[in-house]
Amino acid sequence: MYPTIRAVAYEPDPAHGAWKEPLQVLRLGDDLHAELVRRQQQVCGADSQVRLPVYRLNSLLRATAPGVLATGRNAGVDGQLPWLYAREAVPQEVLAPVLGTWAAGLVGPDEGDDEELEDELLADPATAAVSLPTWEAECVDLTETVISAGGTAEPLRRLYNLLPEAVAFRLAGSPYRTRGALLHFRVVSSGNGVELVSWPPRQYERRGRTWYYSACLTVTVQTVPFALQFRVHVATGVRRWATHLEVAPRALNGATVLLDAPLLWPKNQDRSYRIAENTLGFDRQAKQLVWRRRSPARLLPELDIVRQYPDPVELFEAPEKWLNGQRGLAAGIVYHPVLGPHEVGPGLMPRERSELDGWVEERLRPVLRRVGDLTRVTRHNTPSLLPRSVKATEPDTREAQKALLRRTALTRALDGRPLDVEIVWQTPQTRDALLAALPGVIGLPPGSGVGTDNSRQWQVDGIQLKVRTRPAEGLAQALQISGNRKRRRAVRLAEAIADRCALVAESAGAPPADVSVVIAEIAGKDRFAAAPDSDPKHALRLAWARQGRLVQFVNLPGDDPAGLEHRAKWTWLDAFRQLGAISPPAHRVGAGIPANLQYAALWLVRYTRKGPTRCPVRQIVAVRMRPGNEAGAVEGWDAERAEWVPYPQLLLALANASHEAGEQIGEIDRECGDQGTERQWQAEAERQIRAVLFQLRERPTLLLASAGNLRQCWPRLRNGALTRDRLGFGTGPDQRITVYGSDLRVVLVRDANGRGEVADWYAHDSLEKVGFAEGVWASDVPDNRVFASTASRPHTAAGVSKGLMKLVPTAECRTAPGKTAWNPALLEMTVLGCLSEQALADSGRAGGTTDRPAEWATLTHQLRYHDDYPPLARPLPLHLARLAGEYVLPLATDKEVAS
């Protein structure tokens, strides 16, 4: 058992002091900013509020201009804000052509002249109407920190851009040496962060083909609640390159392409360090593959007339040729599953991650140091689950016990009401597997036989269960979307969904029982990739919800690698979960947890116009769970009725309430840029949250929330705004947590959230062994409130060696690149509110029994475990709240929504 785990994270080293870099800073200046705004208004209109699209310009500068380190934020709004940071001033003869070429794109081809602007930028400042401002020398502290009122260290805002670039270039300055090989890294900068990819790519021979891949490091700057130092996270992984494209060009919505091109002005100190990010996609108006608007590859040929840059069609037809280099250029299409299979598996295992981590640590000395290791908090890693093993003479004992528990939970959820299940099948194999799996899942006796309506029936322990089957016929076919592109995409999709709803209504039989579930066999989403929006899953969910019926989908046999028997069992488990037939586990934390504790979870469902119905929506979902044998153990908050309702009723209410809300919420979506309306939405969301908290006051409550998810509508959950044992809403002062419930505890959980917010990790011991470990972990700082939860690997991922080396395979394991490396994710848990000594004193209960934050973190960790599931990514109540979002399906109407 490993005693410690190590995060791949670094912090400023106090022994070194500030990390200061002498940089050159450039601002657009008022005159140049005004001229660019004027050109933009020629297209947008003189009365429009213009925000210059500098993202594309920044990409072009990073790809071409020597010495540029990073770009500042909001330079397109205010000409006096820092725009460029560089290690050396970029000459005007370099910057002016780039700026002129970009500016030509602000107006139509007949309305502007890039050469005219370029001439002005190169003219004598004394005579030019517009000129480039001068560079200013500035010594920038890359570790400058402010401490929030709640005690959280935050870097200055500009460091979120600057510091990752500086770290990336520091790492790229020296190769990574491993097993006799050298990996050279190149810097990839975009608006989403900074990556390093090893270049040129590695090669792996498999199935008579060559497959390409690289090591990939992602650098981000992060904060940790109540920590006195901010952190730099370096996530490690594998970047795969697509060379065998099994997709039609029109199905390519946006593939990332990294372009390796010599700089146009070679005298610079980072000539070989940077590689440019572009986007390749199919233009449906031009009916061909093109470089998307923000891609510097669109403008590079205008700046460099000597080299021949890859044409999108040529790159698509011969990706391997361009990956290996042509005419002094190279380009690689980043792999995505939609492009077809790939024989290199994703991910790295702990041994390889630890070696990369050691190299990063060495390269970052002395300016940054590794954060301290985390040690175990408790040995009670799991709640009271059924024994994991049984005697050889009783192989079915554990499964029989689990079936009994499921049947008990289902009996409680149904509360005497009959359950009607309809299996809508496409293949008889799936239908038969589902029927065969049901008795074992909940321990039913053999069915009463096939009835006259092709049904099976059971009555046992208060359960009245009827299962019917019928072929899907046309219900599961692809949606037919209108080709009239003069109408909004969301409206055309809504019409196709309405047609499918009508078809479902026509095929429906007698009205269902009080509780009804449909299990529908459907093709996987890859089958519908060729025709966007044609996947009928969301239409069917909405159609059956309108009839008061829940739905659980099961894929066709060929669309799921799992065995049919296994899939059938999980389909039933997920169907029963939607019925609320699931209970939180019995914890093993101790007497510090109240016996009558209830769990509550909040989740924000937020869809943009890229959502499942192409209609934006934001919806707060609240779920409540009460352990034990109480009726309605899983409930949800119905905002319309202002009461707690059974979980299946919540799902149906979400589906049926979203139709009218979609367009209204779409009008206030952030994409519209109306910050006043955005604040109104946040105020309304916070009002709903306070209303839910008020309904939880009657008994001890543990409130669970995902900080990365909920802070979109509750901004005071940002790390720098947190204060121990206090909650803040709106612009008012923080209030003590006991105002919202005398026995309320609040735990915020956080995962990587797609932005590297939580660091990679690995377990290790004093003998330098590395691997995995499950448990609750913490640092030894006083009054610690931040903990880490790690779970065990599921059995499906247990066959890969912890010492597997993929980047430079050993002679004994030449097939290592083909392995899929799966690592348990670390879940950060912040005990934001509990009954601490100060909290009790503030609420007039000084001298009462205080909480131990470690116990509430341990309880949150144990809620990730359940007899029926591998360890969950989030605690069970939060897991159920998130899944409820599948029923939030707004539909657009013909009413136009402001863009």
Side-chain angles (χ1 to χ4, degrees), residues 418-423 425 428-440 442 444-460 463-470 513 517 572:
L419 171 61
D420 178 88
V421 179
E422 184 176 44
I423 298 174
W425 54 273
Q429 299 95 320
T430 298
R431 176 200 60 196
D432 296 342
L434 288 168
L435 292 173
L438 175 60
I442 55 175
L444 293 175
S448 60
V450 179
T452 56
D453 57 350
N454 197 29
S455 66
R456 288 171 171 79
Q457 302 181 29
W458 288 268
Q459 290 192 13
V460 58
I463 297 177
Q464 302 178 52
L465 174 59
K466 181 178 182 179
V467 180
R468 298 176 288 119
T469 65
R470 68 183 176 100
V517 178
W572 285 112

Side-chain angles (χ1 to χ4, degrees), residues 56 87 97 121 349 351 400 550 826:
R56 183 177 168 198
R87 286 179 297 278
L121 295 174
M349 294 302 284
R351 169 58 64 185
L550 303 171
L826 185 147

